[in-house]
PDB file of all heavy atoms in Angstrom:
ATOM      1  N   TYR A  74      -9.397   9.973   7.115  1.00 97.00           N
ATOM      2  CA  TYR A  74      -9.447  11.283   7.608  1.00 97.00           C
ATOM      3  C   TYR A  74      -9.853  12.239   6.414  1.00 97.00           C
ATOM      4  O   TYR A  74      -9.734  13.359   6.289  1.00 97.00           O
ATOM      5  CB  TYR A  74      -8.065  11.884   8.118  1.00 97.00           C
ATOM      6  CG  TYR A  74      -7.613  11.051   9.265  1.00 97.00           C
ATOM      7  CD1 TYR A  74      -6.976   9.918   9.240  1.00 97.00           C
ATOM      8  CD2 TYR A  74      -7.943  11.584  10.565  1.00 97.00           C
ATOM      9  CE1 TYR A  74      -6.630   9.227  10.384  1.00 97.00           C
ATOM     10  CE2 TYR A  74      -7.651  10.909  11.756  1.00 97.00           C
ATOM     11  CZ  TYR A  74      -6.987   9.666  11.562  1.00 97.00           C
ATOM     12  OH  TYR A  74      -6.776   9.007  12.793  1.00 97.00           O
ATOM     13  N   ALA A  80      -8.210   2.188  -4.931  1.00 98.00           N
ATOM     14  CA  ALA A  80      -8.413   0.837  -4.469  1.00 98.00           C
ATOM     15  C   ALA A  80      -9.137   0.084  -5.627  1.00 98.00           C
ATOM     16  O   ALA A  80      -9.719   0.753  -6.499  1.00 98.00           O
ATOM     17  CB  ALA A  80      -9.123   0.609  -3.270  1.00 98.00           C
ATOM     18  N   THR A  88     -18.176 -16.207  -0.744  1.00 98.00           N
ATOM     19  CA  THR A  88     -19.478 -16.523  -1.148  1.00 98.00           C
ATOM     20  C   THR A  88     -20.333 -16.854   0.143  1.00 98.00           C
ATOM     21  O   THR A  88     -19.687 -17.226   1.161  1.00 98.00           O
ATOM     22  CB  THR A  88     -19.525 -17.721  -2.061  1.00 98.00           C
ATOM     23  OG1 THR A  88     -18.949 -18.841  -1.497  1.00 98.00           O
ATOM     24  CG2 THR A  88     -18.919 -17.441  -3.409  1.00 98.00           C
ATOM     25  N   ASP A 147     -12.784 -18.233  -2.698  1.00 95.00           N
ATOM     26  CA  ASP A 147     -11.199 -18.363  -2.896  1.00 95.00           C
ATOM     27  C   ASP A 147     -10.449 -17.092  -2.245  1.00 95.00           C
ATOM     28  O   ASP A 147      -9.396 -16.966  -2.582  1.00 95.00           O
ATOM     29  CB  ASP A 147     -10.921 -18.478  -4.341  1.00 95.00           C
ATOM     30  CG  ASP A 147     -11.231 -17.396  -5.118  1.00 95.00           C
ATOM     31  OD1 ASP A 147     -12.036 -16.440  -4.709  1.00 95.00           O
ATOM     32  OD2 ASP A 147     -11.064 -17.329  -6.461  1.00 95.00           O
ATOM     33  N   VAL A 154      -7.160  -7.499   3.291  1.00 94.00           N
ATOM     34  CA  VAL A 154      -7.652  -7.752   1.772  1.00 94.00           C
ATOM     35  C   VAL A 154      -9.160  -7.711   1.745  1.00 94.00           C
ATOM     36  O   VAL A 154      -9.817  -8.026   0.786  1.00 94.00           O
ATOM     37  CB  VAL A 154      -7.109  -9.212   1.461  1.00 94.00           C
ATOM     38  CG1 VAL A 154      -7.891 -10.366   2.179  1.00 94.00           C
ATOM     39  CG2 VAL A 154      -6.947  -9.290  -0.087  1.00 94.00           C
ATOM     40  N   ALA A 156     -11.458  -8.889   3.781  1.00 96.00           N
ATOM     41  CA  ALA A 156     -12.247 -10.129   4.100  1.00 96.00           C
ATOM     42  C   ALA A 156     -13.552  -9.756   4.840  1.00 96.00           C
ATOM     43  O   ALA A 156     -14.582 -10.444   4.592  1.00 96.00           O
ATOM     44  CB  ALA A 156     -11.400 -11.131   4.744  1.00 96.00           C
ATOM     45  N   SER A 169     -30.784 -10.659   0.878  1.00 98.00           N
ATOM     46  CA  SER A 169     -31.665  -9.857  -0.029  1.00 98.00           C
ATOM     47  C   SER A 169     -32.486 -10.827  -0.996  1.00 98.00           C
ATOM     48  O   SER A 169     -33.565 -10.656  -1.238  1.00 98.00           O
ATOM     49  CB  SER A 169     -30.822  -8.848  -0.898  1.00 98.00           C
ATOM     50  OG  SER A 169     -31.543  -8.213  -1.856  1.00 98.00           O
ATOM     51  N   GLY A 185     -22.575  -3.452   3.765  1.00 98.00           N
ATOM     52  CA  GLY A 185     -21.256  -3.623   4.031  1.00 98.00           C
ATOM     53  C   GLY A 185     -20.525  -2.803   5.000  1.00 98.00           C
ATOM     54  O   GLY A 185     -19.833  -3.118   5.816  1.00 98.00           O
ATOM     55  N   GLU A 187     -22.139  -0.845   7.319  1.00 98.00           N
ATOM     56  CA  GLU A 187     -22.628  -1.097   8.651  1.00 98.00           C
ATOM     57  C   GLU A 187     -22.082  -2.384   9.316  1.00 98.00           C
ATOM     58  O   GLU A 187     -21.678  -2.366  10.526  1.00 98.00           O
ATOM     59  CB  GLU A 187     -24.261  -1.179   8.730  1.00 98.00           C
ATOM     60  CG  GLU A 187     -24.980  -0.080   8.327  1.00 98.00           C
ATOM     61  CD  GLU A 187     -24.675   1.171   9.079  1.00 98.00           C
ATOM     62  OE1 GLU A 187     -24.443   1.131  10.326  1.00 98.00           O
ATOM     63  OE2 GLU A 187     -24.679   2.305   8.585  1.00 98.00           O
ATOM     64  N   TYR A 192     -16.035  -4.632  12.835  1.00 92.00           N
ATOM     65  CA  TYR A 192     -14.590  -5.127  12.721  1.00 92.00           C
ATOM     66  C   TYR A 192     -13.703  -3.896  12.792  1.00 92.00           C
ATOM     67  O   TYR A 192     -12.544  -4.001  13.258  1.00 92.00           O
ATOM     68  CB  TYR A 192     -14.485  -5.703  11.277  1.00 92.00           C
ATOM     69  CG  TYR A 192     -15.181  -7.022  11.026  1.00 92.00           C
ATOM     70  CD1 TYR A 192     -16.451  -7.117  10.536  1.00 92.00           C
ATOM     71  CD2 TYR A 192     -14.504  -8.256  11.291  1.00 92.00           C
ATOM     72  CE1 TYR A 192     -17.064  -8.284  10.341  1.00 92.00           C
ATOM     73  CE2 TYR A 192     -15.265  -9.427  11.162  1.00 92.00           C
ATOM     74  CZ  TYR A 192     -16.593  -9.441  10.593  1.00 92.00           C
ATOM     75  OH  TYR A 192     -17.204 -10.545  10.366  1.00 92.00           O
ATOM     76  N   GLY A 194     -14.413  -0.466  13.592  1.00 87.00           N
ATOM     77  CA  GLY A 194     -14.692   0.682  14.439  1.00 87.00           C
ATOM     78  C   GLY A 194     -15.312   1.798  13.506  1.00 87.00           C
ATOM     79  O   GLY A 194     -16.568   1.768  13.294  1.00 87.00           O
ATOM     80  N   SER A 197     -13.864   3.769   6.706  1.00 96.00           N
ATOM     81  CA  SER A 197     -13.931   4.950   5.761  1.00 96.00           C
ATOM     82  C   SER A 197     -14.953   4.665   4.637  1.00 96.00           C
ATOM     83  O   SER A 197     -15.523   5.556   4.099  1.00 96.00           O
ATOM     84  CB  SER A 197     -12.628   5.216   5.069  1.00 96.00           C
ATOM     85  OG  SER A 197     -12.271   4.086   4.231  1.00 96.00           O
ATOM     86  N   ILE A 210     -11.271   2.013  -8.223  1.00 97.00           N
ATOM     87  CA  ILE A 210     -12.027   3.284  -7.997  1.00 97.00           C
ATOM     88  C   ILE A 210     -10.952   4.368  -7.231  1.00 97.00           C
ATOM     89  O   ILE A 210     -10.012   3.880  -6.686  1.00 97.00           O
ATOM     90  CB  ILE A 210     -13.201   3.226  -6.873  1.00 97.00           C
ATOM     91  CG1 ILE A 210     -12.680   2.338  -5.719  1.00 97.00           C
ATOM     92  CG2 ILE A 210     -14.421   2.456  -7.599  1.00 97.00           C
ATOM     93  CD1 ILE A 210     -13.864   2.342  -4.671  1.00 97.00           C
ATOM     94  N   VAL A 228      -7.926   2.419 -16.384  1.00 95.00           N
ATOM     95  CA  VAL A 228      -6.609   1.840 -16.202  1.00 95.00           C
ATOM     96  C   VAL A 228      -5.993   1.606 -17.617  1.00 95.00           C
ATOM     97  O   VAL A 228      -6.498   0.782 -18.420  1.00 95.00           O
ATOM     98  CB  VAL A 228      -6.723   0.523 -15.485  1.00 95.00           C
ATOM     99  CG1 VAL A 228      -5.436  -0.196 -15.227  1.00 95.00           C
ATOM    100  CG2 VAL A 228      -7.419   0.839 -14.058  1.00 95.00           C
ATOM    101  N   LYS A 230      -3.234   0.210 -18.689  1.00 97.00           N
ATOM    102  CA  LYS A 230      -2.618  -1.173 -18.865  1.00 97.00           C
ATOM    103  C   LYS A 230      -3.069  -1.955 -17.686  1.00 97.00           C
ATOM    104  O   LYS A 230      -3.065  -1.550 -16.516  1.00 97.00           O
ATOM    105  CB  LYS A 230      -1.161  -0.950 -18.941  1.00 97.00           C
ATOM    106  CG  LYS A 230      -0.472  -0.865 -20.087  1.00 97.00           C
ATOM    107  CD  LYS A 230       1.014  -1.117 -20.044  1.00 97.00           C
ATOM    108  CE  LYS A 230       1.786  -0.517 -21.249  1.00 97.00           C
ATOM    109  NZ  LYS A 230       3.190  -0.115 -20.945  1.00 97.00           N
ATOM    110  N   LYS A 244      -6.133  -6.446  14.072  1.00 89.00           N
ATOM    111  CA  LYS A 244      -7.414  -5.880  13.955  1.00 89.00           C
ATOM    112  C   LYS A 244      -7.268  -4.441  13.286  1.00 89.00           C
ATOM    113  O   LYS A 244      -6.452  -3.587  13.732  1.00 89.00           O
ATOM    114  CB  LYS A 244      -8.171  -5.669  15.228  1.00 89.00           C
ATOM    115  CG  LYS A 244      -8.848  -6.970  15.722  1.00 89.00           C
ATOM    116  CD  LYS A 244      -9.632  -6.664  16.972  1.00 89.00           C
ATOM    117  CE  LYS A 244     -10.512  -7.848  17.338  1.00 89.00           C
ATOM    118  NZ  LYS A 244     -11.210  -7.735  18.646  1.00 89.00           N
ATOM    119  N   THR A 245      -8.028  -4.083  12.197  1.00 91.00           N
ATOM    120  CA  THR A 245      -7.951  -2.697  11.484  1.00 91.00           C
ATOM    121  C   THR A 245      -8.146  -1.657  12.587  1.00 91.00           C
ATOM    122  O   THR A 245      -7.530  -0.659  12.543  1.00 91.00           O
ATOM    123  CB  THR A 245      -9.028  -2.807  10.500  1.00 91.00           C
ATOM    124  OG1 THR A 245      -8.758  -3.950   9.549  1.00 91.00           O
ATOM    125  CG2 THR A 245      -8.891  -1.410   9.587  1.00 91.00           C
ATOM    126  N   PRO A 260       1.541  16.270  15.299  1.00 98.00           N
ATOM    127  CA  PRO A 260       0.699  16.938  14.322  1.00 98.00           C
ATOM    128  C   PRO A 260       1.369  17.473  13.080  1.00 98.00           C
ATOM    129  O   PRO A 260       0.874  17.296  12.066  1.00 98.00           O
ATOM    130  CB  PRO A 260      -0.058  18.052  15.132  1.00 98.00           C
ATOM    131  CG  PRO A 260       0.517  18.077  16.452  1.00 98.00           C
ATOM    132  CD  PRO A 260       1.379  17.042  16.641  1.00 98.00           C
ATOM    133  N   LEU A 313       9.113  -8.329   3.346  1.00 98.00           N
ATOM    134  CA  LEU A 313       8.291  -8.903   2.199  1.00 98.00           C
ATOM    135  C   LEU A 313       8.551  -7.847   0.954  1.00 98.00           C
ATOM    136  O   LEU A 313       8.705  -8.323  -0.095  1.00 98.00           O
ATOM    137  CB  LEU A 313       6.903  -8.974   2.401  1.00 98.00           C
ATOM    138  CG  LEU A 313       6.457 -10.267   3.161  1.00 98.00           C
ATOM    139  CD1 LEU A 313       4.796 -10.366   3.300  1.00 98.00           C
ATOM    140  CD2 LEU A 313       6.872 -11.515   2.367  1.00 98.00           C
ATOM    141  N   THR A 328      -0.676  -3.198   2.329  1.00 98.00           N
ATOM    142  CA  THR A 328      -2.047  -2.812   1.839  1.00 98.00           C
ATOM    143  C   THR A 328      -3.147  -3.047   2.977  1.00 98.00           C
ATOM    144  O   THR A 328      -3.007  -4.070   3.504  1.00 98.00           O
ATOM    145  CB  THR A 328      -2.299  -3.427   0.420  1.00 98.00           C
ATOM    146  OG1 THR A 328      -3.669  -2.897   0.007  1.00 98.00           O
ATOM    147  CG2 THR A 328      -2.380  -5.072   0.569  1.00 98.00           C
ATOM    148  N   VAL A 337       1.169  -5.773  -1.105  1.00 98.00           N
ATOM    149  CA  VAL A 337       0.837  -5.853  -2.501  1.00 98.00           C
ATOM    150  C   VAL A 337       2.004  -5.326  -3.401  1.00 98.00           C
ATOM    151  O   VAL A 337       2.683  -4.448  -3.068  1.00 98.00           O
ATOM    152  CB  VAL A 337      -0.423  -4.919  -2.934  1.00 98.00           C
ATOM    153  CG1 VAL A 337      -0.266  -3.565  -2.629  1.00 98.00           C
ATOM    154  CG2 VAL A 337      -0.726  -5.134  -4.423  1.00 98.00           C
ATOM    155  N   GLU A 356       8.956 -20.192  -1.011  1.00 98.00           N
ATOM    156  CA  GLU A 356       9.133 -19.622   0.432  1.00 98.00           C
ATOM    157  C   GLU A 356       7.962 -20.186   1.319  1.00 98.00           C
ATOM    158  O   GLU A 356       7.907 -19.724   2.493  1.00 98.00           O
ATOM    159  CB  GLU A 356       9.283 -18.264   0.434  1.00 98.00           C
ATOM    160  CG  GLU A 356      10.523 -17.669  -0.342  1.00 98.00           C
ATOM    161  CD  GLU A 356      11.809 -18.125   0.413  1.00 98.00           C
ATOM    162  OE1 GLU A 356      11.821 -18.324   1.712  1.00 98.00           O
ATOM    163  OE2 GLU A 356      12.840 -17.917  -0.110  1.00 98.00           O
TER     164      GLU A 356
END
Side-chain angles (χ1 to χ4, degrees):
Y74 298 85
T88 56
D147 62 353
V154 80
S169 174
E187 296 302 328
Y192 294 88
S197 64
I210 53 170
V228 180
K230 264 194 202 154
K244 282 188 172 169
T245 305
L313 277 181
T328 183
V337 58
E356 297 291 342

